[in-house]
Amino acid sequence: MARADLKQRKLDATTERLRDFAMPAGGKWAREAREAALLRLTGMGLPTKRDEYWRWTDPSSLISPDDRRAAVFDAGEPRPFTDIDALKIVFVDGVFDAEASDELAGENLEITRLAEATQADIHWASSVYGVLEERGQTPVERPLGALNTAFASDGICIRVSGVVTRPVNITYLHASETSDAVLHHVVKLEEGAALTLLENGPAAARFNKCIEVEIPDGAKFNHVRTQGRDHERRAVTHLYARLGSNAAFKSFTLTANGVLTRNEVVLELVGNDSMAHVAGAALGDGDFHHDDTVFITHDAERCESRQVFKKVLRNGATGVFQGKILVKKDAQKTDGYQISQSLLLDDDSQFLAKPELEIYADDVVCSHGSTTGAIDEQALYYMRSRGVPKTEAENLLTLSFLAEAIAEIEDEAIAADINDRLVAWLARRGHGKG
Amino acid sequence: MLEIKNLHVKLEEEDKQILKGMSLKIGEGEVHAIMGPNGSGKSTTSYVLSGRDGYEVTEGSATLNGEELLDMDPEDRAAAGLFLAFQYPVEIPGVGNMTFLRTAVNAQRKARGEDELSAAEFLKEVRAKAKTLKIDADMLKRPVNVGFSGGEKKRNEILQMAMLEPKMCILDETDSGLDVDAMRLVSDGVNALRDGKRSFLVITHYQRLLDYIKPDVVHIMSDGKIIKSGGPELALEVEHNGYADLLAEAE
Ligand SMILES: Nc1ncnc2c1ncn2[C@@H]1O[C@H](COP(=O)(O)OP(=O)(O)O)[C@@H](O)[C@H]1O
Ligand SMILES: [Mg+2]
């Protein structure tokens, strides 16, 4: 079929599918932002497996009217970050739970639900909402990001005017087997401000989530999330951030289980001397497809970016990594690092990786590496010969494989919490599902 | 203590017979040495005893205090009291030496139905033992054997042995790559563990280690089996005349 025909067919399918979507009512700014996003979306069309960027991850079940059923899973353990003192915000199947949430207020914080912010005709969130998502559409189209901006039912808008030490913790509970949630958060830091955002939970049977973060000069954004252990859930997430000078961005994601996860991270370094680190650890057993798609643009001098992604896969699980560092012409002294690695615990699992560098500046240091490997048999025998049982030895080796990603978590208590989850997941391995 | 009877071993992947009727009996508290030319099957013997993959036992047995070793998983052999100090200790990036030691000690204690050591108890013990082997805090913190010199690796093996307190210790070419000072350090470490009950099998190519660790019995191995056994004087004979005469004699 000719290209033009394919495109037309895609657009027709998009129009057809969008009949089921209703744009939430809202004030002027929101209506404009949503309509612009819808226009972007109908211009590019919803993604299909034929798209270059979706070659290894079939987006159809993230879009189609069916496929959304996912059993609710009781992990039988406290949620992540329970012991971390934080401002708690709870959504159940994408619906805000006021009762379970703390009061949306705190020192140096202005917090509004998106559903409320969008009612006004003017709101500060308009300077971020859909703005970074739109910028992130070039050079690579991200239609599910535009879909989110156009149709998100709710979310949290956070304005940070100073250094906030107590994290904001968003918990996403999953209660209905057929829930289909679309949430969109906005974080706007002022110069020199700092915030730690925690997220945990599966959110829904199917979840489409965007976060846009504006990090101006001297500001710092720290992000740690766990995506819940529900085996059948699906999620597509976009995390956008734009950094001014001397700004910092750190994000870590733990994904254990879930049939389908696509996490896109789109970062833009537009001010000098900033740093952006994004890391992830994914644990998959069986029906598990996990995709990290990262795009980091260096458009300023002396910035550092770091991508560390590790996946442990078994029983036919699939891992995907598409990571790109784009260094623009004037981004001299860029220091870019990217590593993506998989540990395959059996022969049935697979890891597909596309690491990319595109560099137009001449004075930069960029490196990338990608590996796929199995448990080191020699090390395993050596440990067993010292009396360490096979499973325990494998677990130690697996944790050591993940260590570089875990090391990207700044806060020790949070890192310890994540580490405990990994240990527990590994301990459950072989005793039914993780 | 350890009894190897008529052991025949071939490679799993290849049709190559390596051990061809190896027999050996070590009593409680005894120190035996195996000497022999390169390629005679000394390391293979130690690997087969400790349960490494890749070998197929076609005949014979190996028992530790009457228990058949060859049916056990490597970790169970260790818990039963067997320890092998490797000729080539393995590097394990990302796993701290101390974490590894503590995991091993407690896994063995657990397997034997004993209480695990607390962090404090463990630390106290490991520090004292490391000190006598001149193993510093940095080496304990680093990943297992990663970036260790040859001598450091061998000392680390002896530290593991000292912490695990096995009944039967096999040392495979522990002297290789050691200078005289390191050799003395390692030998002192081994001798400190000689308590009249613990048994040792010292595998070595050269006689010199046996000046430090005095054996009760010396065996000469060639082409997959023991061809001659005797007292410490046998080692001196090898030292002076090489293996040629002994091999010719055995033919
Ligand atoms: N995994 C293996 N693959 C091929 N040959 C092996 C293997 N293991 C041992 N051998 C062979 O078996 C023989 C005995 O080796 P080894 O036990 O290491 O001898 P030693 O320790 O006495 O020098 C040698 O000929 C060696 O090449
Ligand atoms: Mg050898």
Side-chain angles (χ1 to χ4, degrees):
Chain A
M1 203 181 294
R3 264 182 96 94
D5 291 344
L6 272 175
K7 174 85 188 206
Q8 194 51 52
R9 194 202 257 198
K10 189 174 173 178
L11 296 184
D12 292 346
T14 300
T15 309
E16 179 60 32
R17 178 67 187 103
L18 291 180
R19 277 191 226 286
D20 292 343
F21 284 76
M23 196 175 280
K28 182 169 180 293
W29 79 267
R31 206 168 50 241
E32 285 172 5
R34 284 164 171 159
E35 275 166 7
L38 181 60
L39 216 58
R40 283 196 287 284
L41 174 61
T42 49
M44 35 191 170
L46 287 162
T48 73
K49 214 178 165 303
R50 288 174 183 273
D51 296 341
E52 176 65 17
Y53 233 47
W54 290 90
R55 189 156 51 117
W56 289 328
T57 298
D58 185 350
S60 59
S61 71
L62 293 169
I63 300 161
S64 70
D66 30 72
D67 285 321
R68 67 171 86 153
R69 185 174 290 273
V72 175
F73 180 78
D74 178 10
E77 63 181 11
R79 311 201 65 77
F81 316 135
T82 313
D83 297 334
I84 312 282
D85 177 42
L87 190 151
K88 199 166 130 196
I89 299 174
V90 180
F91 287 90
V92 182
D93 293 312
V95 178
F96 180 70
D97 184 339
E99 201 118 300
S101 302
D102 289 340
E103 190 195 340
L104 300 184
E107 205 187 332
N108 293 328
L109 281 177
E110 184 187 330
I111 308 179
T112 323
R113 283 176 50 203
L114 181 73
E116 283 164 10
T118 47
Q119 297 312 309
D121 279 331
I122 308 173
H123 196 272
W124 64 260
S126 66
S127 65
V128 186
Y129 190 87
V131 173
L132 300 188
E133 174 262 299
E134 182 184 6
R135 289 177 68 90
Q137 297 295 351
T138 39
V140 181
E141 292 179 349
R142 301 170 204 281
L144 295 180
L147 177 81
N148 185 301
T149 302
F151 298 105
S153 61
D154 204 350
I156 297 293
C157 305
I158 307 175
R159 184 146 74 162
V160 190
S161 55
V163 175
V164 175
T165 48
R166 189 166 176 246
V168 170
N169 181 12
I170 306 180
T171 296
Y172 306 105
L173 302 178
H174 172 204
S176 151
E177 280 199 0
T178 54
S179 53
D180 200 1
V182 185
L183 295 179
H184 194 126
H185 309 309
V186 161
V187 179
K188 188 178 167 84
L189 294 139
E190 285 175 14
E191 285 189 12
L195 179 74
T196 295
L197 177 66
L198 307 176
E199 297 180 278
N200 77 86
R206 182 164 69 188
F207 190 33
N208 180 333
K209 184 194 64 185
C210 268
I211 307 182
E212 293 174 284
V213 190
E214 188 73 75
I215 312 171
D217 298 356
K220 187 171 178 184
F221 179 70
N222 198 6
H223 175 234
V224 181
R225 70 175 155 179
T226 65
Q227 294 186 289
R229 283 176 41 212
D230 290 37
H231 295 276
E232 296 168 4
R233 61 143 191 88
R234 291 177 159 75
V236 55
T237 76
H238 289 80
L239 172 57
Y240 301 93
R242 177 165 57 180
L243 285 81
S245 60
N246 284 300
F249 171 97
K250 275 201 122 176
S251 174
F252 172 89
T253 301
L254 170 68
T255 312
N257 309 339
V259 283
L260 180 58
T261 308
R262 162 94 159 201
N263 290 330
E264 296 205 23
V265 179
V266 186
L267 307 177
E268 208 183 345
L269 294 141
V270 297
N272 298 333
D273 303 296
S274 290
M275 67 95 126
H277 289 198
V278 49
L283 305 169
D285 185 338
D287 200 0
F288 174 89
H289 183 108
H290 187 276
D291 176 332
D292 280 302
T293 291
V294 181
F295 201 111
I296 300 183
T297 305
H298 282 261
D299 197 7
E301 292 178 11
R302 297 179 303 277
C303 290
E304 185 218 345
S305 74
R306 210 177 141 81
Q307 301 171 47
V308 181
F309 288 91
K310 306 262 185 165
K311 298 184 203 288
V312 177
L313 306 167
R314 70 189 294 258
N315 252 329
T318 298
V320 173
F321 174 78
Q322 306 186 98
K324 179 154 183 169
I325 307 174
L326 168 65
V327 181
K328 292 203 172 170
K329 192 163 70 49
D330 296 324
Q332 301 297 1
K333 307 276 183 203
T334 287
D335 179 356
Y337 173 79
Q338 178 196 88
I339 183 95
S340 63
Q341 294 181 304
S342 73
L343 178 65
L344 306 183
L345 297 180
D346 52 41
D347 296 335
D348 302 334
S349 305
Q350 62 168 343
F351 179 55
L352 305 159
K354 191 168 86 174
E356 285 181 291
L357 294 176
E358 194 176 326
I359 302 174
Y360 297 100
D362 48 27
D363 184 14
V364 303
V365 182
C366 281
S367 66
H368 66 157
S370 183
T371 65
T372 298
I375 288 276
D376 178 348
E377 289 298 325
Q378 285 308 311
L380 191 62
Y381 159 61
Y382 185 70
M383 295 173 94
R384 294 178 74 189
S385 81
R386 296 312 183 233
V388 182
K390 183 166 185 250
T391 318
E392 207 175 335
E394 279 177 350
N395 291 352
L396 266 178
L397 292 170
T398 303
L399 286 173
S400 77
F401 165 78
L402 293 169
E404 189 185 0
I406 309 302
E408 287 294 328
I409 305 171
E410 220 168 59
D411 184 281
E412 269 181 39
I414 295 173
D417 192 342
I418 297 285
N419 206 62
D420 289 348
R421 311 260 154 199
L422 293 170
V423 171
W425 190 91
L426 291 167
R428 283 188 300 269
R429 190 171 80 74
H431 306 282
K433 282 192 145 189
Chain B
M1 175 72 68
L2 178 69
E3 185 165 12
I4 306 172
K5 267 196 214 154
N6 193 30
L7 193 58
H8 286 72
V9 170
K10 67 180 277 290
L11 292 177
E12 217 167 50
E13 306 265 290
E14 263 177 73
D15 206 15
K16 183 171 175 182
Q17 197 75 31
I18 299 175
L19 299 186
K20 305 171 179 174
M22 167 87 187
S23 294
L24 190 68
K25 193 173 174 178
I26 303 176
E28 190 179 276
E30 291 178 2
V31 177
H32 288 222
I34 297 184
M35 301 182 73
N38 276 329
S40 54
K42 303 185 298 294
S43 290
T44 302
T45 304
S46 70
Y47 289 146
V48 170
L49 289 176
S50 68
R52 181 173 163 161
D53 283 343
Y55 304 101
E56 190 186 325
V57 176
T58 53
E59 209 183 322
S61 72
T63 55
L64 184 67
N65 292 326
E67 259 190 296
E68 180 56 77
L69 284 174
L70 302 179
D71 299 336
M72 295 185 201
D73 283 332
E75 54 269 36
D76 296 333
R77 301 178 196 206
L82 186 77
F83 182 90
L84 167 63
F86 281 56
Q87 179 172 3
Y88 304 108
V90 178
E91 298 185 3
I92 315 179
V95 177
N97 208 13
M98 195 83 116
T99 308
F100 173 52
L101 250 181
R102 185 161 168 224
T103 307
V105 167
N106 281 334
Q108 290 203 16
R109 292 181 75 102
K110 199 170 149 195
R112 290 194 292 257
E114 300 163 13
D115 283 343
E116 297 189 5
L117 280 186
S118 75
E121 286 169 313
F122 172 80
L123 210 62
K124 197 173 150 205
E125 206 173 308
V126 84
R127 283 206 180 119
K129 286 178 172 163
K131 200 172 160 198
T132 63
L133 286 161
K134 295 216 165 75
I135 290 175
D136 59 23
D138 182 53
M139 260 175 79
L140 288 174
K141 255 189 259 153
R142 270 164 30 203
V144 181
N145 293 324
V146 176
F148 288 24
S149 70
E152 285 174 339
K153 283 182 181 167
K154 296 299 171 80
R155 264 146 57 202
N156 201 36
E157 293 290 286
I158 304 304
L159 174 65
Q160 292 175 17
M161 189 164 96
M163 288 302 296
L164 294 168
E165 301 180 330
K167 294 181 183 138
M168 177 74 232
C169 309
I170 304 174
L171 292 90
D172 189 5
E173 308 258 3
T174 296
D175 51 338
S176 68
L178 296 188
D179 59 25
V180 178
D181 289 341
M183 180 116 73
R184 165 149 287 146
L185 213 57
V186 164
S187 310
D188 286 350
V190 173
N191 288 328
L193 293 172
R194 290 178 70 168
D195 60 0
K197 290 191 136 178
R198 187 170 285 129
S199 308
F200 293 85
L201 178 61
V202 181
I203 296 172
T204 181
H205 192 69
Y206 301 104
Q207 193 270 336
R208 60 174 192 165
L209 179 67
L210 304 180
D211 287 340
Y212 296 95
I213 305 173
K214 296 255 182 320
D216 301 305
V217 183
V218 174
H219 307 275
I220 306 298
M221 184 164 190
S222 168
D223 195 22
K225 55 178 181 289
I226 304 293
I227 55 163
K228 188 166 185 176
S229 302
E233 72 285 352
L234 197 51
L236 291 170
E237 196 183 323
V238 169
E239 176 81 353
H240 292 130
N241 307 333
Y243 290 110
D245 291 355
L246 285 168
L247 299 188
E249 193 183 309
E251 287 283 303

